[in-house]
Amino acid sequence: MTASTANAQRFREFKMPDVGEGLTEAEILKWYVQPGDTVTDGQVVCEVETAKAAVELPIPYTGVVHELRFGEGVTVDVGTAIIAVDTDPGAGPAEAPAAAPQEAAADEEAEPQGRQAVLVGYGAAPSSTKRRARKPQPGVPAQPEPAKAALQAELNGRTAPVAPATPVAPAVQPAPAAPAGSAVPAAGRPLAKPPVRKLAKDLGIDLATILPTGPDGIITREDVHAAATPAAAPAEAPGPVAVAAAEPGTVDTDARERRVPVKGVRKATAQAMVASAFTAPHVTEFITVDVTRTMKLVQELKQDPDMAGLRVNPLLLVAKAFLVALKRHPEANAAWDEANQEIVYKDYVNLGIAAATPRGLIVPNIKDAGAKTLPQLASELGDLVATAREGKTSPAAMAGGTVTITNVGVFGVDTGTPILNPGESAILAFGAVKLQPWVHKGKVKARQVTTLALSFDHRLVDGELGSKLLADVAAVLERPKRLITWG
């Protein structure tokens, strides 16, 4: 066994796993260990945020942390090594295997099998095309740094700083050496991974103008963000400088705007809402209902011994009313299968509850909610909300929903036109309960009133079915004894 092979077996790297359903990247939120710390198999070493939730990652090795590859706040592609562990620290000092040289790592004669494990950077994904690392062309001097900065600034829509003129050397000067691991392709297509190319495209950045800092001259996410960041103001040049006067009526807003990268839950929410809004034809109907009796029942249930220790609120009874109405109209609990051109009718209800969290909007769901008793529903609803607020909701808890409730009333809002969660048939918005004048038994009295809004996929639910479903939810809330007679 060679020394390099022994080192490779001794120093094990842990790669970012796919913790969800086909997710491609995750952001490192927090490291629980540092280099030199002892870790054991199964110990949680970091917390990462995917497009769906925050997840803690256990490491499958026992040993001493040798290196953390990325800092907190960095988004890492799935399959990229994030930590290296020395699994045999008692064997004496040894150096972790170094990254392969740039030329050897990309040599077209090399034939890696699958994704290679390396201790610096990441393994090479299998490919049918072999590619040699690009080398600077002989006799072509590297572009001076001021010229690079000017070109980068011009391409990014900024004014390049004016550098003082320098005398021309009588002979060609040797090009300055590039930093280690920062090879710049002289020609051809810039080296970058597909997610990085997409990021550059979204930000309007030409990859050919970016100076790479990654291994083998690969452009990283940080390189793209650096190119998109407004350049710092140039130093004041000697002598008088003419300052362009601002045009009348214009306001400089650069100093009063902030740009935040779209990632994590916000990115997933945006993609889901756009996909839903422009895929499923939405219809939204509204109904205003007297919920005075339901509000009285809420207070009575809080005193019921069977509900002791459980959170009882109006949302609980709205959820139960929705489930009863779906039981009466099961055709509304369905999904559209575009690929097979089929409607999938579901004999179970996974009830989603839209929850606002510090990381954004998520929609975990209560599995098989229609089969649960009121105490069981209250228990799971309380656990769901508490877990969401702590940021601990798992991807599995957000998968497989069939219908959703969004409680906009907690913000004092009367109602809204909610957008369907992708793959679901209906979403019910529960508005604020307010004391309003209402005709009750022939007289105008102060009653507790709310407005419900139901959005549904018109491919699955026609107007009649949607109207009956919403009317039944309102009927149960108006006279909650229907929970018994209809349930």
Side-chain angles (χ1 to χ4, degrees):
M1 180 183 297
T2 65
S4 60
T5 303
N7 276 355
Q9 292 181 352
R10 172 177 171 179
F11 292 90
R12 307 300 297 274
E13 59 183 15
F14 176 57
K15 298 179 180 181
M16 179 69 74
D18 179 3
V19 296
E21 302 169 341
L23 299 175
T24 60
E25 62 184 17
E27 177 186 355
I28 298 175
L29 294 180
K30 184 177 182 181
W31 281 109
Y32 296 125
V33 296
Q34 294 297 324
D37 290 352
T38 299
V39 294
T40 57
D41 186 356
Q43 177 180 338
V44 172
V45 294
C46 68
E47 181 182 26
V48 301
E49 181 184 39
T50 68
K52 294 185 176 183
V55 181
E56 292 183 332
L57 298 183
I59 195 164
Y61 309 123
T62 296
V64 173
V65 177
H66 175 73
E67 180 185 7
L68 302 182
R69 298 292 170 76
F70 299 93
E72 296 176 354
V74 178
T75 299
V76 181
D77 294 331
V78 169
T80 302
I82 59 176
I83 182 175
V85 176
D86 182 355
T87 59
D88 190 13
E95 293 184 359
Q102 292 180 17
E103 291 108 4
D107 196 325
E108 65 182 352
E109 274 80 33
E111 297 182 358
Q113 299 297 322
R115 184 172 288 271
Q116 292 179 309
V118 295
L119 283 172
V120 177
Y122 48 84
S127 171
S128 59
T129 302
K130 306 298 187 297
R131 179 170 56 193
R132 184 185 300 276
R134 293 168 173 80
K135 303 178 183 178
Q137 296 179 358
V140 180
Q143 192 177 24
E145 292 301 327
K148 290 180 183 177
L151 176 60
Q152 184 73 66
E154 181 180 355
L155 290 168
N156 289 341
R158 305 190 293 268
T159 302
V162 179
T166 56
V168 180
V172 177
Q173 300 296 323
S182 302
V184 184
R189 191 182 187 200
L191 299 179
K193 300 179 71 175
V196 177
R197 293 184 182 278
K198 183 177 184 302
L199 174 63
K201 181 179 179 182
D202 294 342
L203 295 178
I205 303 298
D206 184 357
L207 288 174
T209 67
I210 297 177
L211 181 66
T213 62
D216 299 338
I218 293 178
I219 297 173
T220 67
R221 286 178 174 274
E222 290 70 22
D223 296 335
V224 176
H225 285 302
T229 302
E236 184 177 356
V241 179
V243 180
E247 296 181 6
T250 62
V251 179
D252 182 11
T253 60
D254 290 346
R256 294 183 290 170
E257 296 180 346
R258 293 182 300 112
R259 290 180 178 267
V260 179
V262 179
K263 57 185 179 180
V265 176
R266 174 55 55 194
K267 181 177 180 180
T269 301
Q271 293 173 341
M273 293 300 96
V274 169
S276 176
F278 294 100
T279 301
H282 285 56
V283 174
T284 305
E285 295 185 341
F286 308 89
I287 190 169
T288 303
V289 58
D290 177 5
V291 293
T292 304
R293 292 186 179 93
T294 290
M295 299 304 289
K296 289 181 179 178
L297 179 58
V298 168
Q299 298 304 318
E300 293 173 3
L301 289 173
K302 288 182 178 180
Q303 308 302 322
D304 193 312
D306 291 335
M307 304 296 288
L310 300 175
R311 185 175 181 181
V312 179
N313 54 23
L315 178 61
L316 172 63
L317 293 186
V318 171
K320 192 64 176 177
F322 196 16
L323 293 169
V324 168
L326 285 168
K327 185 177 180 180
R328 288 168 57 85
H329 305 285
E331 300 87 357
N333 186 38
W336 184 272
D337 187 341
E338 181 66 26
N340 296 316
Q341 286 295 292
E342 296 175 341
I343 296 176
V344 183
Y345 292 100
K346 302 182 179 182
D347 296 330
Y348 60 92
V349 179
N350 290 344
L351 180 63
I353 304 294
T357 73
R359 294 191 177 97
L361 175 69
I362 63 173
V363 188
N365 60 76
I366 300 173
K367 309 299 184 189
D368 208 11
K372 299 187 183 301
T373 64
L374 192 63
Q376 291 172 338
L377 191 63
S379 176
E380 296 218 14
L381 183 59
D383 292 343
L384 177 148
V385 173
T387 303
R389 287 176 177 172
E390 293 172 359
K392 302 299 183 182
T393 303
S394 67
M398 292 182 281
T402 61
V403 295
T404 292
I405 296 177
T406 177
N407 185 10
V408 298
V410 295
F411 306 110
V413 175
D414 291 333
T415 189
T417 54
I419 297 177
L420 293 167
N421 213 24
E424 299 185 6
S425 60
I427 179 171
L428 178 71
F430 174 35
V433 178
K434 297 181 178 179
L435 201 62
Q436 296 182 11
W438 192 266
V439 177
H440 178 67
K441 295 182 179 179
K443 296 181 180 180
V444 177
K445 297 183 179 180
R447 303 286 288 180
Q448 291 175 294
V449 177
T450 191
T451 299
L452 304 173
L454 181 72
S455 292
F456 50 86
D457 186 342
H458 215 345
R459 298 174 300 179
L460 299 164
V461 181
D462 59 25
E464 179 185 10
L465 178 57
S467 299
K468 288 181 177 179
L469 178 63
L470 180 59
D472 278 2
V473 175
V476 173
L477 294 176
E478 184 179 19
R479 295 181 180 274
K481 69 179 183 181
R482 290 189 172 112
L483 290 172
I484 302 174
T485 58
W486 289 0

